Amino acid sequence: NSWSVDWARLGLLDYPRIVHNPMDLGTIKSKLQSMVYESPIEFASDVRLVFHNAMSYNPSGHAVHKAAVGLLQVFEEGYALAVQSARKKEGPSWSNRLLSIQSDPDCSVYPLGSTKSSKPHKCITCQGKTCELCGEGCLSLEPSLVVCQGPCLQKVRKGSVYFVSKCGAQIWCHKCYLNLPSVIHQDTKHQHQPMQSQQQKCLLKRDLLKRKADEEVVETWVECLSCRKSMHSVCVLRDANDSSEFICPACVVDQQMDSGNGIEDEKNERHYLSGYMQPQQLRTSSSMPHYEYTAARLPRHPLSDFIEHKARQKLDPLSASSITIRIISHVEKSMHIDPIILRHFETKNKNSTQHYTSKAICLFQTIDGLDVCIYCMYVQEYHDSGRVYVAYLDSVDHFRPREARTKVYQEILVSYLAWCKVAGFRKAHIWACPPTRGNSFVFWSHPALQKTPTRDRLIAWYHGALSRAASVGCVSKVQSLYDAVFVKYGQLGIDELPECPPLLDGDYWMDEAVRVYKSNLCRYRRPHIPRGRKSKKTDLSQPSEVVTPNSAMRVLHIMQVVLSDPKCAPFRQPVNPSIYTDYLNVIQHPMDLGTIHSKLVLGEYAVLTDLVADVDLMVSNCLKYNPSGHVVCGMAEDIRSMLVDGFKSLGPVANVLLKPSAFHSGCGGCEGVFDSEFTKRLPELVEDHSPAAIAAHMVGRDAQLFHKSKIKCGTHKALLQSPTATTHTTKDKMCWLGMEVGCSVRRMRRDFFVCDLSSHENGDDEAFRQYVDGWDRPALTNEDQTNRRIGNRTVNVTDARTSLLEYCQFRNLQFDTLRRAKSSTAILLRHLHNPYVRTSIDPVCSFCQSIISDTRWHRSKVTAQDKRELCTGCWEACDEKRKEEFVPVRVNTVASCSRS
């Protein structure tokens, strides 16, 4: 039984009389995941109860009775093996351990009723060895994550074929690869880097490398120099790339005993131990080996001290002393703003770069006397605009006690918002975006039983956190980004640009605006050319009687007439580089009439001079690439003459203004959705700061559209775009891009939180003063201390969550088990204490020993030579057969050794 017996529905009225203690395997699994069982004996008793109940209710000849007998026998055989293994490892204390699937330090899981293979395992890595500490042999690790960047955005399954660019930046699964065009335009959102050439921006489909997701990764081994015993590097908290001499902890203690430094100051302390939910007695001594790189020794900061103080208040005194909160990254960053956003939104300044401060706040907990990194939060602080952005949150399921996990995590967020209010920030932004299944934000390889939160569950978690923030007075108002910004766009005039929403690095609306614009660019790149009978030749030099006197409409009419001419056929679409392979090497800035037409429709030309410049660029490209006297060169000259003659009727070219509102039709789906009147009064957070009040503020007037029944069946998206819900018709406006983005934001309005950190209108901040009691503004916002202790330290691995995630994947620093989480945290702490040491930070070529800074070529199969990393030069020198063994991976974790 995987679920409880519903005896009433099945008509088994005598079931409660015969079975007095119902139990099922589903309940047992839930109790295992929740770490309810205090010993393996309780677990075994419940499993036996399941089968005994089945045998008691069903007669001996019944199929269910026979199945229960057989399954019980299988369980007893497997349980006996587990007990025997536990007694061998832990001795008589094995039965006192808390039972949990996560508490098992071994990664090898054998089915019940089966035994280990009689033939010992032996591979190139382990050579048939057995770890002296854990008693296990070769243990597998999770291979690097391969995620398709196509429409599916799914993880590439093990054994599946995928395609990757030579730079390692773009990956497509086989299904998405089939739908790719012959020429792939790469993403250019990171233009703050050195400008790429046109050849680098365009990628040919035929140049993609075909690879298979079959990487095999196992834990590395290390041998003690004294006793010559082999152990897993993870078991002894040793970096796999550390080439120094190794002496195991047991030999270190023996050497201290032989030298006369016996264990004389032995004492008992209470600590969290593996397999226990409550702190246990742990015998310690100063002569025992200690790990010198701890979280408590990391530089302290007033912000981390304040958050740590508030988080400890949510725990009992014994548990509170086990947690440590530190800022592991504090760096100034800059964000590139896409020119599309600068053109279509009204910004205070037209700077294409915006600066902000990035911080990473981590929670460590001491388990088994070692620090384990459990929770991490990346935030962005924009001092110029007075805004903060909670960019990423991630955690692993190792926190003790489990029942306090949610309270502590939410208190970290609340206390940070309180610090932001004290520091003078006015707004806080949050995007509730859960990771896709199998993907990670910060920590690499979560525990197998840790569930990825659904969107609704994550939103509910933020409702609880912001409810707590409102109750302590650090948040006075919560609303959706749609209500805060986009709802105002419907009230703008025809020629008014919309106010630019907050510019936050990695925020949804910025990427959506670029996507919508590019989608429209492709849409208008192919103008409608009437078919059938040829129309009479039109004299473009004379004013047309069928068009309006608006200059933009007349220019559009001229363009459409010219595009209908047969001479324009070679120029209506961009040149295909897959056919003309050397085109991008000769032409650095391609241009065509289709692109000019789409830019005209989308309002990219402020004056006619800009359009004429693109026409001249198209003609010059044609003359440069084709030989003199070629027929295409004559066609290009004729097209330019036709356009110039048509533009003469408009007057001086420099004085002709082009406005996108004159011909853009806008988004049909966003008509009338920008009414700012709410259908009912929302509860004030001063009066009601419950999670339900937060939820009501987030949905606003769309409460009926986000009803559970409509969300479940997916009809709320259709209702949000339904013309029947409109109150007025959207006219052609310059704010068309903002309105189309607003449609997308409205459909996801529950995900984007805008928190007001200013004081309440009534001026009552007594609750907030009590919350920050004892922490005045100078103590919390001492930036001089910040720059002295953290800002001058270059910690590139943790400066971005992508760099930290790639570093963990590259070094196989996993957090799926507590054993591996302790080892991964120890290696990370070693780097945090020594940020200028390049050891194990930058990938190094296995052949030429040079540091790889752009693309590393990774071998997915373990070989005797163990040449697993190559630079691009060494990879190019390999023969074709060996090249196929390597996969390109983009490098983000190059450290800087310069001291500031």
Side-chain angles (χ1 to χ4, degrees):
N1 288 332
S2 297
W3 56 87
S4 59
V5 177
D6 191 355
W7 55 268
R9 184 178 63 85
L10 298 175
L12 307 177
L13 303 180
D14 59 341
Y15 188 83
R17 179 173 56 84
I18 300 175
V19 179
H20 301 288
N21 298 311
M23 182 55 63
D24 60 274
L25 297 179
T27 302
I28 294 175
K29 180 181 178 181
S30 299
K31 295 172 72 174
L32 272 173
Q33 294 176 349
S34 302
M35 304 178 72
V36 174
Y37 293 113
E38 296 185 357
S39 69
I41 298 176
E42 293 184 9
F43 160 75
S45 176
D46 276 355
V47 175
R48 296 188 182 107
L49 179 61
V50 173
F51 301 122
H52 284 308
N53 288 343
M55 291 185 289
S56 299
Y57 185 78
N58 299 278
S60 58
H62 197 275
V64 176
H65 185 100
K66 295 179 180 180
V69 172
L71 291 174
L72 180 60
Q73 182 180 358
V74 171
F75 168 75
E76 294 294 355
E77 292 175 0
Y79 181 70
L81 290 174
V83 169
Q84 182 180 0
S85 176
R87 283 176 175 170
K88 181 180 178 180
K89 291 182 182 179
E90 304 178 29
S93 63
W94 71 273
S95 60
N96 297 327
R97 291 192 60 186
L98 181 75
L99 188 60
S100 169
I101 298 177
Q102 296 185 43
S103 66
D104 187 4
D106 305 333
C107 299
S108 303
V109 179
Y110 300 91
L112 292 179
S114 66
T115 58
K116 297 182 181 181
S117 175
S118 57
K119 184 179 180 181
H121 169 79
K122 186 176 181 179
C123 65
I124 298 176
T125 304
C126 70
Q127 299 292 331
K129 296 178 288 189
T130 302
C131 180
E132 187 67 22
L133 297 180
C134 67
E136 293 294 335
C138 201
L139 298 179
S140 299
L141 291 168
E142 186 74 15
S144 297
L145 184 66
V146 181
V147 179
C148 175
Q149 297 182 357
C152 71
L153 296 176
Q154 296 296 318
K155 175 183 176 182
V156 178
R157 296 183 178 180
K158 187 176 182 179
S160 300
V161 174
Y162 66 95
F163 296 84
V164 58
S165 61
K166 287 188 177 181
C167 65
Q170 288 83 24
I171 297 174
W172 291 273
C173 64
H174 186 266
K175 182 179 179 181
C176 295
Y177 170 80
L178 297 177
N179 299 324
L180 286 176
S182 58
V183 181
I184 307 167
H185 295 277
Q186 301 186 38
D187 186 12
T188 58
K189 61 187 286 187
H190 301 290
Q191 295 181 359
H192 58 279
Q193 299 174 353
M195 185 61 66
Q196 298 175 323
S197 65
Q198 189 66 30
Q199 178 69 33
Q200 293 175 317
K201 290 181 181 179
C202 294
L203 181 67
L204 302 183
K205 182 178 180 179
R206 66 187 181 196
D207 292 339
L208 297 180
L209 303 178
K210 183 179 180 180
R211 294 295 184 263
K212 190 175 183 180
D214 57 354
E215 184 177 7
E216 299 175 358
V217 187
V218 296
E219 292 189 9
T220 57
W221 294 79
V222 64
E223 185 179 274
C224 177
L225 189 63
S226 178
C227 63
R228 297 298 179 183
K229 294 179 180 179
S230 298
M231 307 167 195
H232 291 120
S233 299
V234 173
C235 293
V236 294
L237 311 179
R238 184 178 175 86
D239 191 349
N241 296 286
D242 191 352
S243 58
S244 60
E245 296 180 350
F246 168 71
I247 300 179
C248 67
C251 293
V252 172
V253 174
D254 292 341
Q255 292 175 2
Q256 291 179 350
M257 294 288 290
D258 295 340
S259 63
N261 297 328
I263 304 178
E264 299 177 353
D265 55 345
E266 185 177 294
K267 58 182 178 179
N268 291 328
E269 296 179 351
R270 295 182 66 85
H271 292 278
Y272 280 106
L273 303 181
S274 301
Y276 297 91
M277 285 302 295
Q278 299 300 327
Q280 304 294 322
Q281 292 287 346
L282 179 65
R283 189 174 60 183
T284 61
S285 173
S286 60
S287 60
M288 291 184 178
H290 292 272
Y291 195 72
E292 58 178 322
Y293 302 124
T294 63
R297 295 182 180 181
L298 288 175
R300 298 178 60 181
H301 180 265
L303 171 59
S304 62
D305 290 344
F306 175 69
I307 297 177
E308 182 181 272
H309 172 72
K310 290 300 179 181
R312 287 181 173 181
Q313 289 181 346
K314 294 297 180 179
L315 300 170
D316 59 86
L318 194 58
S319 301
S321 60
S322 67
I323 67 171
T324 303
I325 295 179
R326 292 291 184 268
I327 298 178
I328 63 173
S329 175
H330 183 284
V331 62
E332 299 295 329
K333 288 188 175 183
S334 60
M335 171 187 63
H336 174 79
I337 303 174
D338 198 287
I340 297 173
I341 295 176
L342 296 177
R343 288 196 300 266
H344 291 270
F345 293 91
E346 187 68 37
T347 57
K348 293 183 179 179
N349 52 63
K350 294 299 181 180
N351 294 335
S352 60
T353 303
Q354 183 165 335
H355 302 278
Y356 65 91
T357 302
S358 174
K359 294 180 181 178
I361 304 171
C362 273
L363 165 67
F364 301 86
Q365 186 172 32
T366 304
I367 303 176
D368 293 334
L370 296 169
D371 291 322
V372 180
C373 188
I374 293 180
Y375 175 92
C376 186
M377 179 173 67
Y378 275 86
V379 296
Q380 302 170 6
E381 299 174 357
Y382 298 81
H383 296 275
D384 294 339
S385 60
R387 299 178 185 271
V388 294
Y389 180 40
V390 181
Y392 297 99
L393 293 178
D394 200 3
S395 65
V396 287
D397 199 9
H398 299 309
F399 187 79
R400 317 285 176 80
R402 289 176 57 87
E403 58 270 14
R405 179 180 53 180
T406 300
K407 295 189 298 182
V408 172
Y409 294 171
Q410 290 181 345
E411 193 66 21
I412 293 176
L413 176 60
V414 172
S415 55
Y416 173 73
L417 294 179
W419 175 86
C420 293
K421 181 174 182 177
V422 174
F425 292 99
R426 302 185 300 274
K427 299 287 184 179
H429 296 261
I430 302 173
W431 176 15
C433 177
T436 57
R437 188 173 183 179
N439 203 347
S440 303
F441 277 158
V442 179
F443 297 104
W444 169 234
S445 187
H446 290 66
L449 296 179
Q450 182 174 350
K451 298 180 180 179
T452 301
T454 62
R455 185 176 300 276
D456 291 339
R457 188 178 183 86
L458 183 61
I459 290 174
W461 188 91
Y462 278 112
H463 288 167
L466 295 179
S467 173
R468 164 68 178 166
S471 64
V472 300
C474 63
V475 172
S476 59
K477 183 179 180 181
V478 177
Q479 61 179 339
S480 172
L481 178 65
Y482 171 78
D483 291 330
V485 180
F486 291 95
V487 74
K488 308 172 185 176
Y489 290 172
Q491 304 171 3
L492 297 177
I494 293 179
D495 296 330
E496 291 184 85
L497 281 177
E499 177 188 356
C500 185
L503 296 171
L504 309 172
D505 196 3
D507 202 8
Y508 169 81
W509 81 265
M510 299 176 66
D511 291 338
E512 179 67 8
V514 175
R515 186 199 66 80
V516 169
Y517 173 82
K518 290 183 178 180
S519 176
N520 281 272
L521 192 67
C522 295
R523 172 186 174 188
Y524 293 108
R525 181 170 285 166
R526 295 186 177 183
H528 175 68
I529 306 299
R531 297 182 179 180
R533 186 183 305 174
K534 292 185 178 179
S535 58
K536 296 181 180 180
K537 186 175 181 180
T538 305
D539 186 6
L540 297 178
S541 62
Q542 300 298 326
S544 176
E545 299 178 358
V546 297
V547 296
T548 64
N550 185 284
S551 59
M553 285 296 297
R554 296 180 63 182
V555 171
L556 181 62
H557 172 70
I558 293 172
M559 283 294 303
Q560 291 175 345
V561 171
V562 172
L563 283 167
S564 63
D565 193 287
K567 294 181 180 179
C568 295
F571 303 94
R572 290 172 184 161
Q573 294 295 323
V575 176
N576 192 341
S578 62
I579 300 177
Y580 303 95
T581 56
D582 60 338
Y583 185 78
L584 295 181
N585 294 328
V586 179
I587 304 302
Q588 298 297 323
H589 303 284
M591 185 56 62
D592 60 277
L593 288 178
T595 301
I596 294 174
H597 177 268
S598 60
K599 293 175 66 176
L600 174 64
V601 173
L602 298 179
E604 294 302 300
Y605 297 119
V607 293
L608 187 57
T609 307
D610 299 336
L611 187 149
V612 174
D614 277 352
V615 173
D616 293 337
L617 175 62
M618 180 193 71
V619 175
S620 62
N621 288 344
C622 178
L623 299 177
K624 181 179 181 181
Y625 183 77
N626 299 281
S628 178
H630 196 278
V631 62
V632 178
C633 297
M635 297 168 66
E637 293 287 359
D638 292 342
I639 293 172
R640 176 161 57 182
S641 300
M642 294 169 59
L643 290 173
V644 171
D645 292 342
F647 295 154
K648 288 180 179 179
S649 63
L650 303 176
V653 175
N655 298 332
V656 178
L657 302 179
L658 304 179
K659 298 182 180 179
S661 59
F663 35 73
H664 186 71
S665 59
C667 172
C670 62
E671 295 181 354
V673 299
F674 297 93
D675 185 11
S676 61
E677 294 295 331
F678 282 13
T679 57
K680 62 179 181 178
R681 179 180 178 272
L682 295 176
E684 294 292 339
L685 291 185
V686 180
E687 306 168 359
D688 183 7
H689 43 70
S690 64
I694 302 292
H697 278 266
M698 290 302 296
V699 297
R701 64 185 178 89
D702 293 329
Q704 71 232 0
L705 304 182
F706 285 94
H707 192 270
K708 290 184 178 179
S709 60
K710 293 182 174 57
I711 293 177
K712 187 175 182 180
C713 63
T715 57
H716 73 291
K717 293 184 179 180
L719 290 172
L720 287 173
Q721 291 185 337
S722 175
T724 59
T726 63
T727 57
H728 63 276
T729 302
T730 302
K731 299 180 179 179
D732 302 328
K733 298 182 177 182
M734 291 183 66
C735 63
W736 67 269
L737 181 59
M739 298 182 72
E740 292 195 19
V741 174
C743 290
S744 301
V745 173
R746 189 188 183 202
R747 288 192 294 269
M748 302 170 58
R749 61 177 301 154
R750 299 183 304 156
D751 302 353
F752 307 106
F753 297 84
V754 179
C755 308
D756 191 352
L757 304 180
S758 58
S759 302
H760 293 288
E761 295 181 356
N762 57 11
D764 185 12
D765 278 344
E766 181 61 28
F768 182 71
R769 285 192 292 269
Q770 293 180 2
Y771 185 76
V772 297
D773 184 33
W775 299 83
D776 55 359
R777 180 185 175 94
L780 288 177
T781 59
N782 191 348
E783 292 300 329
D784 293 337
Q785 188 176 10
T786 301
N787 296 330
R788 184 174 65 254
R789 295 187 177 184
I790 298 176
N792 291 341
R793 303 186 61 181
T794 304
V795 189
N796 294 75
V797 169
T798 58
D799 282 350
R801 69 100 189 172
T802 52
S803 299
L804 178 57
L805 183 61
E806 181 189 335
Y807 173 75
C808 292
Q809 291 188 52
F810 174 55
R811 295 302 179 192
N812 301 119
L813 306 183
Q814 299 186 181
F815 292 81
D816 54 341
T817 64
L818 185 57
R819 164 179 166 271
R820 288 174 174 167
K822 290 185 289 187
S823 175
S824 301
T825 304
I827 296 174
L828 182 61
L829 285 173
R830 179 189 178 189
H831 166 67
L832 293 175
H833 282 276
N834 302 276
Y836 304 106
V837 178
R838 282 184 175 267
T839 305
S840 76
I841 298 177
D842 301 329
V844 178
C845 179
S846 303
F847 188 78
C848 65
Q849 301 301 317
S850 61
I851 295 179
I852 304 174
S853 59
D854 47 6
T855 301
R856 63 180 176 93
W857 293 85
H858 176 72
R859 188 198 296 269
S860 58
K861 294 290 185 180
V862 181
T863 61
Q865 294 83 10
D866 197 29
K867 301 295 184 181
R868 302 204 69 175
E869 307 294 336
L870 292 181
C871 61
T872 302
C874 294
W875 178 82
E876 293 286 355
C878 297
D879 55 73
E880 293 300 325
K881 186 175 181 180
R882 283 198 62 194
K883 283 183 178 180
E884 296 180 357
E885 300 177 0
F886 292 87
V887 179
V889 181
R890 183 176 56 182
V891 176
N892 286 328
T893 57
V894 180
S896 174
C897 288
S898 60
R899 294 175 182 263
S900 55

